Amino acid sequence: TALVGEPVSGVSLSPPVWRPAAGPTPAHCSIDGAMAPIDRSDTARPINFRIVMPASWNRRAAQMGGGGFNGVIPNLTGGPLADGYAAYGSDAGHQGGGLGRGRGGGPAAGSNDWALNDEVIRNLGYMQMKKTHDAAMVLIERLYGVSPEFNYYIGNSQGGREAVTVAGRYPDDYDGVIANVPIVSFSSLMLAPEWIRIQEKPLENWVTPAKVNAIRGEFIRQCDGLDGLTDGVINNYMACRAVFDVSDGGPSPWAAKRCPDNVDPDPEDTRASACLTDGQIRTLELVYSPYRFATPLANGVEAFGMWVPNTDPSGSGLIAGVRFRGQEGATGDAPVHSHLGVLGVTGFLMRDVDANPLDYVEGGVFDARRVELSEPLDGTNPDFGAFHDRGGKMIVTIGTNDTLASPGAQLDFYQSVIDAMGRETVDRFARFFVLPQTGHGLGGESYTVDGDGNAIEPFRIPNGYDRLRALTDWVERGVAPAMSPVVTAGGRSLPMCSYPEYPRYEGGPEDSAESYRCSRP
């Protein structure tokens, strides 16, 4: 325990397991372990971790981030191990993904009381990364006799938040990090779906699934051509975000969609031409404008960026097809609202896993707890000075069609780092890429209709890019990635621009990167 940099009460290891080569997975030794918590209450949990060490080692190590609410050890036998890396990761300090309603509400009943334990929450937020790293370094040195020459952190979503977090909190431990779609404002992302459902408590504010085509169609109508080309792709994401951000008190961008006399003649109309009521417009203004907090959170963050205009055809979790308990018009047996991050609201914040999350009130009794939780959970610290000074590098990539993470919060994070450190310094150690109109997996397609209302055949958004190769070249050889590398998919290519630039069409073949230039909005 003395070799682990955050407090644990004990470390136990299972016997090593030798696994012969199988397909692309090389022969390797696998060791499982557990770190016991300091807290001895019933709600405390261990951190389960694993390290896999190949027979032929390239003197590199990669810590693999988790996903969702974590609760399981991530897959460690994929890419890095196949390339000769020692790979390691943990379940983040609790077991199970945190889904379900809690003690009295479904198949996960009885499993979610870990969400009431502050040590478990701090483990999830940051301590499990350090504890797992330190245990892995001991085992690597014991097996190979030397420490890694280079150590990386690679993560998507929750793991992306972990990656930017370790670069800030533990800069001496990592030479480079890859963060894809990081949920940087984790504590607010868990609460954001509740803000929408609370806004929809009055029946008149409910945006139903029938309105998806009307909403996406309006985004395309107003924003498709902002990049110089009408092709069903909103490349100029910053200008489009500004159009639909009403936080400055300007005119509503939804005025053209308002139902005459505020009466919807056909609430089931699924066409793009369907109208929206005043209440529905108020809800959409909430969803696509920054949400200001009653009290600033950790790192001085005063607002959550919410979502940017997107063409996700389902609306994902942003649009609800039913009424929930506590909303006007809900039936007696209506479900309590639930989503991937709801346990962070009921457990972490409200300290009652059986609570109705729609009982949350901004600036009320939960305000101090909001501030308290943001410190361990949010990856919003914009100061990476120590990481930069020791030569660390990071590559972060987000997609504007992401309705699981918050592209608005991610864009605000990018800007906060540039404001804190300066553009010139940031460009020396980081790449902040944006892939317009791609989702949580950084894949996407053009919309089915262009900005002129013409039906089009969707095509894949170019997104192919070897981030690990780019990062190792930068860290180990000093070869910096391009500010706008060319990405590909399905025979098409496009420059992947660094925030806040976007690919602007300059003329020529529409499927060729040579026809675009990364431009400021």
Side-chain angles (χ1 to χ4, degrees):
T1 59
L3 300 176
V4 178
E6 295 285 1
V8 298
S9 63
V11 181
S12 60
L13 299 175
S14 298
V17 177
W18 177 255
R19 301 187 186 280
T25 303
H28 63 275
C29 174
S30 176
I31 300 176
D32 283 10
M35 287 177 275
I38 300 298
D39 186 350
R40 295 300 191 181
S41 67
D42 290 342
T43 59
R45 298 290 191 275
I47 298 171
N48 296 320
F49 67 94
R50 178 176 301 136
I51 179 170
V52 293
M53 295 172 280
S56 180
W57 185 40
N58 64 10
R59 295 290 303 276
R60 299 185 181 105
Q63 187 167 357
M64 308 303 292
F69 247 81
N70 290 334
V72 296
I73 297 173
N75 176 31
L76 302 177
T77 59
L81 177 67
D83 290 336
Y85 288 70
Y88 58 102
S90 85
D91 63 6
H94 66 273
Q95 292 69 54
L99 299 177
R101 289 295 317 150
R103 286 187 296 270
S111 64
N112 287 335
D113 62 351
W114 63 267
L116 306 174
N117 187 290
D118 280 350
E119 183 182 2
V120 179
I121 293 171
R122 290 194 300 273
N123 276 335
L124 172 64
Y126 66 97
M127 291 198 304
Q128 61 93 4
M129 288 96 86
K130 175 62 173 174
K131 295 174 184 180
T132 304
H133 166 274
D134 289 356
M137 293 303 105
V138 172
L139 293 173
I140 288 173
E141 186 167 359
R142 286 179 180 175
L143 180 67
Y144 295 117
V146 293
S147 298
E149 291 184 17
F150 301 100
N151 188 49
Y152 299 93
Y153 202 108
I154 302 171
N156 305 322
S157 190
Q158 179 70 264
R161 180 197 65 84
E162 294 168 2
V164 297
T165 295
V166 298
R169 286 187 182 264
Y170 308 112
D172 293 336
D173 289 345
Y174 303 92
D175 299 290
V177 303
I178 294 173
N180 294 327
V181 295
I183 55 171
V184 284
S185 296
F186 182 28
S187 68
S188 295
L189 179 65
M190 294 185 290
L191 191 54
E194 309 310 332
W195 292 329
I196 301 172
R197 303 289 87 87
I198 291 168
Q199 171 71 19
E200 291 183 328
K201 278 188 174 182
L203 191 60
E204 65 180 2
N205 291 352
W206 184 22
V207 180
T208 64
K211 302 299 181 181
V212 168
N213 291 330
I215 296 166
R216 306 309 179 214
E218 191 64 9
F219 289 152
I220 284 289
R221 185 183 74 82
Q222 295 196 47
C223 297
D224 187 4
L226 296 177
D227 58 2
L229 179 65
T230 303
D231 63 347
V233 179
I234 301 173
N235 273 322
N236 193 346
Y237 56 92
M238 290 294 285
C240 190
R241 186 187 189 193
V243 168
F244 286 90
D245 176 2
V246 300
S247 60
D248 61 359
S252 175
W254 301 99
K257 299 298 293 179
R258 184 178 183 272
C259 294
D261 301 320
N262 194 34
V263 176
D264 190 345
D266 185 3
E268 302 302 319
D269 187 357
T270 61
R271 295 175 299 170
S273 59
C275 67
L276 300 166
T277 64
D278 289 349
Q280 291 171 331
I281 288 173
R282 286 192 295 270
T283 296
L284 291 171
E285 289 174 345
L286 171 83
V287 175
Y288 297 103
S289 300
Y291 183 99
R292 299 200 66 81
F293 307 139
T295 304
L297 302 183
N299 305 307
V301 175
E302 297 180 343
F304 181 69
M306 299 293 278
W307 282 268
V308 301
N310 63 80
T311 59
D312 175 19
S314 68
S316 191
L318 307 183
I319 295 178
V322 300
R323 303 297 283 166
F324 298 98
R325 195 176 306 173
Q327 293 183 319
E328 181 184 5
T331 61
D333 61 349
V336 174
H337 183 239
S338 185
H339 60 93
L340 178 59
V342 73
L343 196 59
V345 181
T346 57
F348 298 0
L349 179 59
M350 304 174 84
R351 292 170 165 158
D352 178 0
V353 295
D354 294 319
N356 185 340
L358 299 190
D359 290 338
Y360 172 81
V361 177
E362 181 71 23
V365 297
F366 305 113
D367 196 50
R369 181 65 170 168
R370 280 273 288 133
V371 177
E372 181 182 0
L373 287 170
S374 66
E375 194 282 328
L377 292 178
D378 291 354
T380 54
N381 187 349
D383 183 4
F384 294 96
F387 185 69
H388 161 267
D389 291 347
R390 69 173 298 271
K393 311 297 182 188
M394 67 167 60
I395 296 177
V396 189
T397 311
I398 68 170
T400 62
N401 247 31
D402 194 340
T403 52
L404 287 175
S406 163
Q410 294 164 335
L411 294 171
D412 294 345
F413 169 72
Y414 280 178
Q415 187 61 51
S416 73
V417 179
I418 292 170
D419 290 344
M421 302 188 68
R423 182 87 233 190
E424 183 177 346
T425 299
V426 170
D427 291 347
R428 285 200 297 265
F429 82 98
R431 291 291 180 268
F432 291 158
F433 293 130
V434 180
L435 282 169
Q437 210 152 305
T438 64
H440 201 57
L442 295 177
E445 289 188 336
S446 62
Y447 199 51
T448 56
V449 177
D450 67 20
D452 295 326
N454 302 312
I456 59 175
E457 185 68 27
F459 55 83
R460 288 174 57 199
I461 305 294
N463 65 349
Y465 182 63
D466 190 340
R467 290 167 181 79
L468 184 56
R469 172 62 64 84
L471 183 66
T472 55
D473 282 349
W474 200 3
V475 168
E476 300 171 21
R477 299 174 52 219
V479 179
M483 293 296 295
S484 52
V486 172
V487 291
T488 60
R492 302 180 70 93
S493 61
L494 195 71
M496 181 171 60
C497 303
S498 293
Y499 168 88
E501 294 186 344
Y502 70 95
R504 180 169 183 81
Y505 180 66
E506 299 291 321
E510 297 176 9
D511 59 358
S512 172
E514 296 181 357
S515 302
Y516 298 80
R517 177 173 57 87
C518 288
S519 306
R520 294 185 67 86

